[in-house]
Amino acid sequence: MDFPGPQEKAGLLLGSGPGVGVAGCFLKESSTPSMERWRGRLALVTGASCGIGAAVARALVQRGLKVVGCARTVSNIEKLAAECQSAGYPGTLVPYKCDLSHEEDILSMFSAVRTQHKGVDICINNAGLARPEPLLSGHTSGWKDMLNVNVLAVSICTREAYQSMRERSVDDGHIINISSMLGHRVVAQSDVHFYSATKFAITALTEGLRQELREANTHIRATCISPGLVETGFAFKLHDNDPVKAAETYEHIKCLKPEDVAEAVIFVLSTPPHVQIGDIQIMPTEQVT
């Protein structure tokens, strides 16, 4: 191990010199996180029509990536694409209509990406939904809806993204699952217990993916980002019959913004290829549970 000389020690104490000392460490300039290696490469973002997905898509386009944003309704993505172009962002946003509850739609999307854009370098599984279906009285159809989008679609997109990377010898790709703090603890709210179970599944799937990627001797990385309460339209879809209750969800504390989660995505992608971030748990400072 090399130890810093007198001038480097001064840098450690005074914050000057070729690096900056943090907690007794000497950081080289080359360790500074950067998104530069991703410029011009392709990221797939599911659920890109609103909320976190739209914020992530915008952040990536701002940093020079080509982004395929998919959703069942693409009008909002088309509007966002026009905004990004008008703003002069160096990347591009390509809207794509896809119903993630149907495997054939997902496979068709990946085929189109392969034909038109060669393939996927980053896959951000953001799309998700919740139905107010308690465990003791919920409808099976609602449970199936959540499983199809929150678990199966994530698994299918992950498999297809990995195959896309491998067939092009992409060894530095990244798969990011947008989960939830509800994938780490169960709250006393019966409406979200089944939804919480699907997010616990994502926690397990992401770690399982990380292990399989290691077994495959790749340097493709897997990360889970678990936000707490984010101010989006999520509560209004969950409580679509009670808009007052939905609005109250976001009124009692200062919530996260979609852009906060997008910044976490950028941080994860900007870390050096040898750095593996398994899970980021991010929640409002004022959130208790």
Side-chain angles (χ1 to χ4, degrees), residues 77-90:
I77 307 178
E78 291 170 344
K79 181 180 177 181
L80 178 59
E83 291 175 0
C84 291
Q85 185 176 19
S86 297
Y89 296 156

Side-chain angles (χ1 to χ4, degrees), residues 100-121:
L100 293 168
S101 64
H102 298 298
E103 182 175 11
E104 56 269 26
D105 268 28
I106 300 175
L107 298 181
S108 177
M109 175 177 64
F110 274 91
S111 178
V113 170
R114 180 182 298 108
T115 301
Q116 300 170 21
H117 310 289
K118 295 185 179 180
V120 173
D121 299 304

